[in-house]
Amino acid sequence: MTNSAEQILLDKFKSEKEKGEYLHRRLCVSYAKVYMFRRSLLGRLIGHIERIIRYVTFRPSSKSELTQLYEAALQYQQERGIDFQVVMNEYT
């Protein structure tokens, strides 16, 4: 009885671990896409236009969703020591 219970718990642990690794890889790829877009010429242009609009409307502290995602990606990259170039090379 205990052996089967241990096996069930072990299987559940393995499935949760695999799910966590899968979610981590998806998050890395998503952040890498945001990072690469923002570093592209079009992404930089959009960032400058967004910054101009924020200052013209007197809301310099409000940030768009793209900027917030980019900052979250940078923070995630620094915390985990991930290179988004490598992530994108593995993804494609």
Side-chain angles (χ1 to χ4, degrees):
M1 183 72 176
T2 56
N3 193 13
S4 64
E6 289 176 4
Q7 186 63 32
I8 291 171
L9 289 175
L10 185 61
D11 289 343
K12 185 174 181 177
F13 173 75
K14 285 181 183 178
S15 68
E16 289 294 322
K17 185 177 176 186
E18 288 172 359
K19 186 168 53 169
E21 290 171 359
Y22 170 75
L23 292 175
H24 172 71
R25 283 192 304 269
R26 268 188 73 172
L27 185 63
C28 282
V29 169
S30 298
Y31 276 155
K33 287 179 181 178
V34 168
Y35 177 81
M36 293 301 184
F37 174 74
R38 193 55 190 253
R39 301 295 295 170
S40 71
L41 183 61
L42 180 61
R44 289 179 185 201
L45 180 63
I46 289 172
H48 289 304
I49 291 170
E50 171 189 293
R51 193 173 303 113
I52 290 168
I53 291 171
R54 280 195 331 236
Y55 283 108
V56 167
T57 58
F58 301 108
R59 293 182 296 159
S61 62
S62 65
K63 296 181 181 176
S64 74
E65 188 175 332
L66 179 62
T67 301
Q68 292 173 2
L69 279 172
Y70 179 68
E71 290 174 352
L74 289 177
Q75 182 180 359
Y76 191 78
Q77 183 183 30
Q78 291 172 350
E79 288 174 356
R80 305 262 189 316
I82 298 170
D83 185 10
F84 286 140
Q85 291 281 355
V86 173
V87 171
M88 288 306 291
N89 289 339
E90 290 175 6
Y91 177 71
T92 55

